[in-house]
Amino acid sequence: MPLLSLLSTTLASIDASPRVLQVLRDLHKQALSESPFVSTSGPITDALEKFVALDPDKCALVYLLLRSTGARFVVEAGTSFGLSTIYLALAVGQNAGLAPAQSAKVIATENEPTKAARAREHWRAAGDDVEKWIELREGDLRETLKTDLPEQIDFLLLDIWTPLALPTLRLVHPRLKVGAIVAADNVIAASKGYKDLVDFLEAPANGFKTTTAPYEGGLLLSVYLGKKGA
Ligand SMILES: C[S@@+](CC[C@H](N)C(=O)[O-])C[C@H]1O[C@@H](n2cnc3c(N)ncnc32)[C@H](O)[C@@H]1O
């Protein structure tokens, strides 16, 4: 199905106010009008002006996974203009609202200041259902994720240049709760770049079980089952 026609199906999959839905509709349309871009080896200046956003159907899946697992602490590696972050924030905020006084947070990461500024504008436009659940860490995530992570992390979205995927997982791994999900975009389309990540996830000692869902480019989903004997 063409991605633009997935938009209405995607938006029907999520529980959101008309204000949030309008922001998502506008941003997806902008993102889908870009020429496709898949990270193979690293930062490419051509991508600086682009959303390079997660496809709508993947966003819907991630939102529903977060809702079904009650996730409240999420790390997003690669935020760009903040489109996927809106789904993450909406889900953790809604999960937090299921019981009184629950905390929740999406740690978003972006090292391009102009992109970070645009992301903040989009979250402001989406309003409190989204904006208040996001902590944006600006700078290289290999530094910004070194400290002050939540005690337990429920979900890690790897939507980043492939050489940064494994370094990110290594930083977050010690805080993943048993049952946490790691998602990585385009693992088939960028399989060479993701080899070290996939090898890590497949090594039994690291405690993951993994599958790849047949979305465009392949969406890896890995569940942290805990280290044996830990
Ligand atoms: C694929 S895009 C993220 C798209 C976003 N998840 C979405 O769906 O809207 C990857 C982003 O990671 C950012 N990035 C690249 N290297 C980074 C680094 N070392 N630290 C933080 N962000 C980085 C890029 O600037 C780019 O905006």
Side-chain angles (χ1 to χ4, degrees):
M1 196 190 293
L3 285 173
L4 252 182
S5 54
L6 278 178
L7 197 46
S8 52
T9 328
T10 292
L11 296 181
S13 312
I14 65 164
D15 181 14
S17 68
R19 175 177 174 173
V20 173
L21 290 174
Q22 190 54 50
V23 172
L24 289 174
R25 199 172 291 114
D26 290 347
L27 295 181
H28 275 302
K29 282 187 177 158
Q30 290 175 48
L32 290 169
S33 67
E34 295 175 338
S35 48
F37 174 87
V38 174
S39 157
T40 46
S41 56
I44 296 186
T45 45
D46 183 37
L48 289 181
E49 298 303 315
K50 291 188 172 181
F51 276 76
V52 212
L54 207 60
D55 295 333
D57 52 351
K58 296 171 185 168
C59 289
L61 177 71
V62 166
Y63 168 84
L64 289 171
L65 284 173
L66 294 179
R67 292 303 314 273
S68 73
T69 55
R72 288 186 294 117
F73 294 97
V74 172
V75 174
E76 178 181 59
T79 289
S80 189
F81 296 151
L83 176 46
S84 51
T85 328
I86 294 177
Y87 289 85
L88 305 175
L90 194 63
V92 300
Q94 290 170 346
N95 289 338
L98 294 176
Q102 295 241 62
S103 58
K105 187 194 285 193
V106 176
I107 297 179
T109 56
E110 181 50 58
N111 69 344
E112 290 298 334
T114 53
K115 287 192 147 192
R118 288 274 297 280
R120 288 188 201 279
E121 281 170 26
H122 298 150
W123 301 334
R124 203 168 306 126
D128 242 18
D129 291 354
V130 167
E131 191 181 19
K132 74 176 189 186
W133 303 107
I134 302 170
E135 175 189 325
L136 176 59
R137 299 192 181 180
E138 287 190 51
D140 188 328
L141 54 70
R142 287 166 291 191
E143 290 304 319
T144 63
L145 293 180
K146 264 186 185 161
T147 54
D148 298 323
L149 290 177
E151 269 317 299
Q152 286 209 320
I153 293 169
D154 302 301
F155 196 97
L156 169 65
L157 176 59
L158 294 168
D159 191 18
I160 191 79
W161 315 144
T162 54
L164 297 177
L166 182 57
T168 307
L169 177 59
R170 284 190 191 279
L171 288 172
V172 171
H173 191 193
R175 295 291 172 94
L176 288 178
K177 75 162 198 195
V178 171
I181 298 173
V182 176
D185 192 27
N186 277 325
V187 284
I188 296 173
S191 58
K192 273 194 192 152
Y194 275 122
K195 187 177 179 318
D196 60 351
L197 176 81
V198 171
D199 287 349
F200 182 90
L201 291 170
E202 287 180 351
N206 293 324
F208 293 89
K209 287 292 176 191
T210 304
T211 188
T212 296
Y215 287 72
E216 181 82 24
L219 182 69
L220 174 145
L221 295 169
S222 193
V223 176
Y224 181 56
L225 298 177
K227 292 189 178 174
K228 295 266 182 288

